[in-house]
Amino acid sequence: MNNKLISLGVIAMVFGIISCGQSTGRQTTANHQTKPDLTTPVFDADSAYHYIDTQVAFGPRVPNTPEHLACAEYLAEKLEQFGAEVIVQQGEVRAFDNTILNIRNIIGQFQPEKNDRILLFAHWDTRPFADHDPDPALRNKPILGANDGASGVGVLLEIARHLKENPTHPGIDIIFFDAEDYGIPDHIQVAYKPDTWCLGSQFWGRNPHRKNYYARFGILLDMVGAKGAQFYREQYSMQFAPRLVDHIWNTAARLGFSAWFNFGTGGMITDDHVYVYKHLRIPSVNIIQYEPASHTSFGHYWHTHQDTMDNIDRNTLKAVGQTVMEVIYTEK
Ligand code: AHN
Ligand code: ZN
C-alpha cells in the first residue's frame, strides 16, 4: 500500500469516526422531527359513561343469547365508525358445565399497516349467574355487569373515538374478549379451576387474529368504573411487566389520579392478561379494582345484581381513561 492510499485510509477512518459520532446526534434530532411529541386528547368521561349505559341497556350479555349478539353488533359497529379495521372472531368453546358457547372476540385494528403495536383489552360478556348475590333466589340469574364487563369496554370505546383524528405513533389494537366471566361458580364445591375463566382470550391466544401477532405491551381494563375504586398493583402484572406497571401508576400520579392508583400490592388475579401473556408473551398489565378488606377482594356489588349503572362514577372512568391515553400517546 503506498502512502497516498494509507493517508486516504486514515482520512476515511477519521471521517468515519466523526460521522459516526455525528450521525448519533443527527438520528436523535431526526427522530424528533419525524416523531414529535403528541398532545394527549382529552378523555370525555360522559362519553365513556354513555357507552357503558348503552351496553347495559341490551340486558345481560351472556353467550348464546340474543342480547349478547345484539351487543356484539353494536361494539363492532362503533369500532368501525371510529376508523378501525374490524375483525369479529367467532369460535366455539366449552364451559365448565360442558355448555358449548358461541363466542365472539371483537377486534379493532388502528393503523393496521404498522408492525409496532399496543394492545388494549377488556371483556365484554357478563356473568350468567350472580353467585355472590345476597338473595339466594336471584343467584342463578345473569347480571347486568355495568362495572364487570361494560366499564372497561366503555373506556376503550372512548379512547377509540380519538384514534382516527389523533393517531398514536404505534398502531393500536383494541380487543373485546368474550366469555371471560363464565368461570365455575363459587358454590360448586370442586377444586378451583382457573382455566374455566377467560375462555375468549384463551381461544384468541390459540388462534390469534394475525399470524405472529405481537404488541409492545398490553393493558387490560377490568372493573374500572366504580365509585371510589382503588387499583392496586396486581401481582401477575408485576411478574409479566413490572416496568410498565410502574410507568402506568407513575403516569396516573403525575396526572393527579393518586386517589385511584394505589402503589400497594394487589391480588393475583386470573384474568385475560394471564392468557395474553401465556400464549403470546405480550407483557400485559391488569388495571382492576381491588378491595383487600372485602371477602371477595372486589367491590361489594361483584357478581351480584347490584352491578348496575348506579355504581358507575365518571371520576373513576376519567382517572383510568386519561391515564391510559397518556400512556399510549407518549409512546414513541
Ligand atoms: C377470578 O375471580 C378467578 N377472576 C377474576 C376475574 C374477573 C371476574 N373479572 C371480572 N370477573
Ligand atoms: Zn366477573
Side-chain angles (χ1 to χ4, degrees):
M1 205 186 272
N2 65 31
N3 275 344
K4 211 171 170 186
L5 276 181
I6 290 171
S7 54
L8 271 177
V10 170
I11 291 167
M13 269 166 59
V14 169
F15 262 93
I17 291 164
I18 292 172
S19 62
C20 268
Q22 277 187 344
S23 79
T24 331
R26 244 189 255 126
Q27 251 177 14
T28 320
T29 327
N31 260 343
H32 262 288
Q33 278 163 0
T34 51
K35 293 187 166 188
D37 284 349
L38 298 172
T39 341
T40 306
V42 175
F43 181 91
D44 183 344
D46 274 326
S47 168
Y49 185 95
H50 166 76
Y51 299 138
I52 299 168
D53 200 23
T54 307
Q55 291 171 76
V56 171
F58 284 102
R61 282 89 63 211
V62 175
N64 299 351
T65 68
E67 294 80 8
H68 177 262
L69 265 188
C71 186
E73 254 160 50
Y74 162 71
L75 297 176
E77 227 172 74
K78 289 313 277 185
L79 288 173
E80 233 153 56
Q81 183 195 327
F82 297 147
E85 196 172 289
V86 175
I87 296 176
V88 178
Q89 179 180 59
Q90 298 194 30
E92 288 186 351
V93 297
R94 185 181 292 272
F96 70 93
D97 59 358
N98 286 325
T99 310
I100 300 296
L101 305 176
N102 295 298
I103 61 159
R104 285 173 162 69
N105 292 323
I106 301 160
I107 303 160
Q109 309 165 94
F110 293 85
Q111 308 182 73
E113 71 287 354
K114 289 191 170 170
N115 274 324
D116 203 358
R117 313 198 62 75
I118 295 172
L119 173 61
L120 307 176
F121 52 112
H123 78 90
W124 73 273
D125 64 303
T126 55
R127 190 147 176 81
F129 18 74
D131 38 338
H132 286 281
D133 201 275
D135 182 351
L138 298 177
R139 283 186 194 148
N140 58 4
K141 289 196 160 58
I143 66 166
L144 279 174
N147 198 36
D148 190 357
S151 68
V153 171
V155 167
L156 293 182
L157 279 179
E158 168 54 11
I159 293 173
R161 188 175 69 83
H162 296 277
L163 292 176
K164 183 155 64 172
E165 298 221 326
N166 295 291
T168 49
H169 289 317
I172 304 277
D173 297 299
I174 292 182
I175 305 188
F176 300 141
F177 285 121
D178 204 351
E180 186 273 347
D181 234 343
Y182 221 106
I184 193 160
D186 270 4
H187 54 263
I188 295 186
Q189 296 302 319
V190 295
Y192 173 63
K193 291 181 178 166
D195 288 355
T196 63
W197 301 82
C198 307
L199 301 177
S201 55
Q202 293 189 59
F203 181 88
W204 176 81
R206 295 192 190 94
N207 311 280
H209 63 288
R210 287 196 175 213
K211 212 175 136 204
N212 300 321
Y213 178 77
Y214 192 67
R216 284 183 189 187
F217 60 78
I219 301 178
L220 164 60
L221 304 185
D222 193 4
M223 303 190 276
V224 291
K227 191 171 165 53
Q230 293 259 308
F231 308 108
Y232 286 67
R233 295 188 297 168
E234 190 271 332
Q235 291 187 45
Y236 282 117
S237 310
M238 294 288 280
Q239 282 179 18
F240 304 155
R243 281 171 307 151
L244 177 62
V245 170
D246 285 346
H247 176 53
I248 295 171
W249 265 248
N250 284 325
T251 301
R254 176 163 60 79
L255 298 181
F257 300 127
S258 297
W260 291 270
F261 284 79
N262 185 320
F263 277 87
T265 303
M268 201 171 206
I269 299 164
T270 301
D271 211 338
D272 292 323
H273 67 315
V274 170
Y275 299 96
V276 169
Y277 183 77
K278 177 179 170 182
H279 291 284
L280 280 84
R281 296 284 148 189
I282 297 169
S284 299
V285 169
N286 191 4
I287 302 179
I288 183 168
Q289 181 181 5
Y290 182 69
E291 284 194 17
S294 104
H295 72 286
T296 63
S297 307
F298 301 116
H300 67 276
Y301 56 82
W302 188 65
H303 294 178
T304 75
H305 294 292
Q306 276 84 65
D307 189 357
T308 64
M309 288 310 287
D310 293 345
N311 283 310
I312 302 296
D313 179 18
R314 289 173 176 80
N315 298 308
T316 304
L317 299 172
K318 174 75 179 176
V320 173
Q322 196 66 59
T323 299
V324 173
M325 285 236 284
E326 182 72 10
V327 167
I328 65 172
Y329 279 93
T330 50
E331 282 291 306
K332 296 276 153 60

